[in-house]
Amino acid sequence: MTIFITGATAGFGKATATQFAAAGWNCIITGRRKERLAILADELMQQYPIKVHKLCFDIQDRNAVKAAIDSLSAEWKNIDVLVNNAGLALGRDSFENASLDDWDTMIDTNVKGLIYVTKAIVPFFIERKKGHIINIGSTAGKEVYKEGNGYCATKHAVDALSKAMRIDLLPHHIKVTAVHPGAAETEFSLVRYKGDNEKANAVYEGFKALEAKDIADVIFYAANLPTHICINELVITCTAQANSFYLHK
Ligand code: NDP
Ligand code: 8X3
């Protein structure tokens, strides 16, 4: 079995690669940080009797996405599960102050990047008459929160795209699952606050947030159900969080 994971250099993507590798799946791991991909590939192949293929590209670059996926050998194109995980938030500003550059990056990554990858891989699924797309949305794609504007909009788009894919790809026996996590302690906040460790750490103070492995467990469960079962969507928060704007600290 083969899984293709976007954004496997950190957080949920890395934990997902590790979880599936441990269960004997071959992994296609992707991201922009080439060294991290190399380290992870070596680690996984040393620990488990599996193959790992690395694809280094910026998901915002439509041509780079297509070229990377086209470069896969026929064997590696036998993908069973695609996890559309690569994504980010940038900034936490009110609508009038939010940076258009930040919005462009979030839209290009979280929405357009997800579409580019999926459009490139869906033909393989259609040919094999099976496949499973697992999109990582967010609680931010279920309700908006103060100063979440652009990021929330991209995750609402992931929610809508997941529903649309599920309808349109039904005749091809392709499952579509949307996984919507709440606050999880990964590199997410460090990226959002542009390297400001203090602000990033403060996000997770005063409660026990989700860990990357918690989401990898859920992805693993959804991906390993019998052929006739598809989890359409799951919203997962830590116990301290009720929804995208109510967190009990
Ligand atoms: P991390 O920052 O830990 O990991 C993000 C991953 O996305 C990295 O591997 C990064 O790889 C990749 N990525 C980002 N931009 C690009 C790009 N332009 N091209 C290719 N890869 C890219 O964050 P998380 O693991 O937390 O986030 C994963 C997903 O989960 C995101 O979609 C995020 O929005 C979502 N999410 C996160 C939550 C949280 O609280 N942590 C909660 C809900 C959803 P590299 O930098 O090497 O390119
Ligand atoms: C990430 C969780 O609460 O920062 O999607 O939007 S949150």
Side-chain angles (χ1 to χ4, degrees):
M1 299 287 273
T2 300
I3 185 165
F4 185 112
I5 305 162
T6 67
T9 57
F12 299 157
K14 186 177 176 186
T16 302
T18 305
Q19 179 107 357
F20 279 75
W25 287 55
N26 295 321
C27 299
I28 302 171
I29 55 172
T30 79
R32 290 165 301 180
R33 286 171 286 181
K34 205 174 184 174
E35 314 73 44
R36 286 200 185 196
L37 288 175
I39 292 167
L40 181 62
D42 288 348
E43 273 174 13
L44 296 180
M45 285 191 289
Q46 269 165 26
Q47 282 182 56
Y48 308 110
I50 57 147
K51 290 188 228 162
V52 178
H53 189 81
K54 309 175 292 266
L55 289 178
C56 187
F57 59 85
D58 185 334
I59 207 171
Q60 299 173 86
D61 182 339
R62 181 171 163 177
N63 295 327
V65 171
K66 183 84 174 67
I69 294 171
D70 282 352
S71 77
L72 291 171
S73 66
E75 187 194 352
W76 277 112
K77 282 179 180 163
N78 286 327
I79 297 162
D80 296 284
V81 175
L82 160 64
V83 181
N84 279 316
N85 163 74
L88 79 172
L90 283 175
R92 185 81 200 254
D93 306 294
S94 63
F95 186 91
E96 71 280 17
N97 295 329
S99 147
L100 282 177
D101 287 339
D102 286 350
W103 283 30
D104 275 343
T105 305
M106 290 189 284
I107 293 166
D108 290 349
T109 307
N110 301 355
V111 184
K112 291 167 73 179
L114 180 148
I115 293 170
Y116 298 154
V117 170
T118 311
K119 287 280 280 177
I121 289 180
V122 152
F124 310 155
F125 286 170
I126 292 178
E127 201 178 321
R128 300 179 76 208
K129 299 186 177 60
K130 62 174 182 172
H132 192 170
I133 300 165
I134 302 183
N135 293 328
I136 308 303
S138 171
T139 44
K142 291 294 174 181
E143 309 102 8
V144 294
Y145 55 83
K146 192 168 178 277
E147 297 164 353
N149 42 59
Y151 178 67
C152 292
T154 64
K155 290 299 180 177
H156 274 72
V158 173
D159 190 33
L161 280 165
S162 302
K163 288 172 180 157
M165 288 176 191
R166 196 174 302 115
I167 295 168
D168 292 349
L169 299 175
L170 205 58
H172 303 289
H173 315 284
I174 296 171
K175 298 187 193 187
V176 180
T177 299
V179 173
H180 297 289
E185 196 160 356
T186 61
E187 293 176 17
F188 177 84
S189 292
L190 195 61
V191 172
R192 174 172 234 170
Y193 293 112
K194 303 174 184 174
D196 185 329
N197 263 304
E198 213 170 307
K199 275 191 180 171
N201 291 336
V203 172
Y204 308 109
E205 273 164 19
F207 72 107
K208 172 79 185 96
L210 294 172
E211 294 172 10
K213 171 140 191 346
D214 302 330
I215 298 305
D217 283 344
V218 168
I219 294 170
F220 189 78
Y221 177 76
N224 282 285
L225 287 167
T227 315
H228 69 289
I229 306 174
C230 176
I231 294 188
N232 289 353
E233 63 175 38
L234 283 168
V235 179
I236 306 117
T237 63
C238 65
T239 310
Q241 185 171 16
N243 56 35
S244 83
F245 53 81
Y246 192 80
L247 184 70
H248 187 72
K249 288 201 182 194

